[in-house]
């Protein structure tokens, strides 16, 4: 009579029915299996965890969100409670809606006019800068012409020059032609974006195959048709990236409007809120810190919404061209 062979014990031996039944209902065994599974390499690579990096990221998150939390908390306070309560927590009654109404109606609704001015500068200035950077970057990437290397050097040099260094020469130039204290004093300098042009240039080199352009030319398509029907669709992630950078730069522009504009009716939000903040100093001071904080909160909402809406294109645009195929 033959006897049954027992399975050999070893690290690779399968679990018996009794072992499987026992461990299936044991929570500790399930946790052990889960921890072993989590520790397994992913795609052949070991997953490394660093407590130091986690702590650094937590610090960065707190550093990034603390100002937003401060604005949200203090926009709910009155002028008196703003100065008498802890800045990072709510105090007293909830006055957010009343502060919003007071901000929008203060001084005959000048805040709404400043918001309209900012939108004008962003739509025309940032939109125009994105269009010009896209056209110029595409041309630099896909066309060969004399002086191309010199243009490349000029663009890199222009990126290295900070905008504040050009503000005073721009003011002197515009004052000679009578454009100061007009919207054009803000819009025209905003149309120039060397960094945006460089981004489109580097992105278009990899995003648009030269063979595709040549095939379109052989089919009889003109250069404008190729650009608007083929190239622009392929450049969409890069265009949105440049648009986001231009919108943020124009929305937060402060120094150029400060020296270019003297009429409050043309102020953007940055300069206008600073003027409100300055009312707390000097003779006849009239502090309205609660309106300044609430206005700052209303100011960042459009830019946050735009960033959240465009971030998927932004991430794609930054990653493009970083890996060689």
């Amino acid at each position: 009579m033959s006897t049954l062979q027992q399975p050999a014990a070893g690290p690779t031996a399968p679990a018996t029915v009794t072992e499987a039944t026992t461990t299936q209902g044991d929570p500790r065994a399930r946790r052990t299996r889960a921890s072993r599974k989590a520790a397994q390499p992913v795609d052949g690579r070991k997953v490394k965890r660093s407590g130091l990096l986690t702590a650094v990221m937590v610090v960065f998150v707190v550093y990034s969100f603390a100002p937003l939390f401060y604005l949200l908390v203090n926009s709910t306070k009155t002028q008196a409670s703003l100065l008498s309560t802890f800045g990072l927590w709510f105090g007293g009654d909830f006055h957010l809606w009343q502060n919003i109404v007071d901000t929008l109606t203060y001084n005959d609704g000048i805040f709404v006019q400043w918001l309209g001015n900012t939108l004008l500068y962003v739509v025309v200035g940032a939109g125009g800068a994105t269009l010009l950077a896209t056209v110029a970057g595409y041309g630099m990437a896909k066309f060969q012409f004399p002086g191309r290397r010199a243009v490349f050097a000029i663009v890199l040099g222009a990126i290295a020059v900070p905008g504040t260094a050009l503000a005073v020469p721009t003011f002197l130039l515009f004052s000679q032609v009578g454009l100061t204290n007009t919207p054009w004093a803000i819009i025209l300098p905003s149309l120039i974006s060397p960094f945006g042009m460089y981004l489109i240039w580097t992105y278009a080199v990899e995003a648009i195959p030269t063979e595709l352009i040549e095939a379109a030319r052989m089919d009889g398509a003109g250069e404008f048709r190729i650009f608007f029907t083929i190239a622009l669709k392929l450049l969409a992630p890069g265009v949105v990236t440049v648009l986001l950078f231009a919108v943020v730069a124009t929305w937060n522009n402060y120094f150029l409007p400060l020296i270019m504009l003297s009429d409050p009716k043309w102020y953007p939000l940055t300069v206008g809120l600073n003027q409100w903040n300055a009312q707390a100093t000097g003779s006849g001071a009239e502090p309205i810190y609660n309106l300044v904080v609430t206005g700052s909160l209303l100011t960042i909402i459009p830019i946050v919404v735009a960033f959240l809406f465009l971030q998927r294109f932004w991430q794609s645009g930054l990653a493009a061209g970083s890996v060689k195929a």
Side-chain angles (χ1 to χ4, degrees), residues 89-112:
W89 197 246
F90 302 92
D93 298 330
F94 190 82
H95 286 269
L96 175 61
W97 310 120
Q98 185 60 43
N99 286 338
I100 292 177
V101 172
D102 293 341
T103 301
L104 298 178
T105 58
Y106 182 79
N107 195 12
D108 297 328
I110 190 66
F111 182 87
V112 178

Side-chain angles (χ1 to χ4, degrees), residues 1-324:
M1 182 175 180
S2 61
T3 58
L4 296 176
Q5 295 288 338
Q6 296 293 331
T12 58
T16 63
V17 176
T18 305
E19 292 174 346
T21 306
T22 303
T23 59
Q24 185 175 6
D26 189 355
R28 289 180 299 178
R30 288 199 300 267
R31 287 195 296 268
T32 303
R33 290 197 303 269
S35 61
R36 289 176 179 175
K37 185 177 180 181
Q40 290 178 355
V42 179
D43 296 334
R45 296 173 297 176
K46 292 184 178 180
V47 179
K48 296 182 180 180
R49 295 179 177 86
S50 173
L52 177 61
L53 291 180
T54 302
V56 171
M57 292 305 300
V58 170
V59 171
F60 272 103
V61 169
V62 173
Y63 177 80
S64 301
F65 281 93
L68 301 179
F69 182 73
Y70 174 86
L71 287 179
L72 180 61
V73 167
N74 289 276
S75 61
T76 64
K77 302 178 182 180
T78 62
Q79 175 68 24
S81 62
L82 180 63
L83 302 177
S84 60
T85 59
F86 181 58
L88 290 178
W89 197 246
F90 302 92
D93 298 330
F94 190 82
H95 286 269
L96 175 61
W97 310 120
Q98 185 60 43
N99 286 338
I100 292 177
V101 172
D102 293 341
T103 301
L104 298 178
T105 58
Y106 182 79
N107 195 12
D108 297 328
I110 190 66
F111 182 87
V112 178
Q113 186 169 1
W114 292 341
L115 177 61
N117 295 338
T118 305
L119 292 176
L120 172 66
Y121 301 148
V122 167
V123 172
V124 180
T130 303
L131 177 62
L132 293 178
T134 302
V135 174
Y138 168 76
M140 292 292 297
K142 294 303 176 181
F143 290 91
Q144 301 292 332
F145 54 89
R148 186 169 177 267
R149 299 174 65 90
V151 173
F152 177 75
I154 293 174
V155 170
L156 290 182
I159 294 175
V161 178
T164 53
L166 300 176
V168 174
T170 304
F171 170 77
L172 296 176
L173 176 63
F174 279 30
S175 62
Q176 293 293 326
V177 295
L179 290 179
T180 56
N181 203 31
T182 64
W184 294 110
I186 311 301
I187 294 174
L188 291 180
S190 301
L191 294 175
I192 308 302
S193 178
F195 181 66
M197 174 186 171
Y198 179 75
L199 281 182
I200 295 294
W201 184 351
T202 55
Y203 183 78
V205 170
E206 300 293 337
I208 306 177
T210 304
E211 295 80 4
L212 182 62
I213 298 177
E214 293 177 351
R217 289 170 180 167
M218 292 180 62
D219 289 340
E223 297 300 334
F224 285 100
R225 184 179 179 183
I226 294 174
F227 175 75
F228 285 105
T229 61
I230 299 177
L232 200 58
K233 295 180 180 179
L234 297 176
L235 290 175
V239 171
V240 175
T241 302
V242 174
L243 177 63
L244 182 60
F245 284 142
V247 167
V248 172
T250 307
W251 192 274
N252 296 329
N253 196 3
Y254 173 76
F255 189 63
L256 183 64
L258 180 65
I259 66 174
M260 286 290 187
L261 304 175
S262 58
D263 191 349
K265 72 177 184 179
W266 293 117
Y267 282 172
L269 288 169
T270 52
V271 180
L273 290 175
N274 183 69
Q275 186 188 54
W276 278 5
N277 189 56
Q279 292 183 195
T281 60
S283 58
E286 184 184 353
I288 50 173
Y289 291 129
N290 60 323
L291 301 188
V292 174
V293 173
T294 306
S296 301
L297 178 65
L298 297 177
T299 299
I300 67 173
I301 290 177
I303 203 68
V304 170
V305 172
F307 178 82
L308 294 177
F309 179 73
L310 299 175
Q311 66 171 339
R312 57 194 182 101
F313 298 101
W314 178 67
Q315 293 170 352
S316 174
L318 287 182
S322 59
V323 179
K324 184 176 181 181

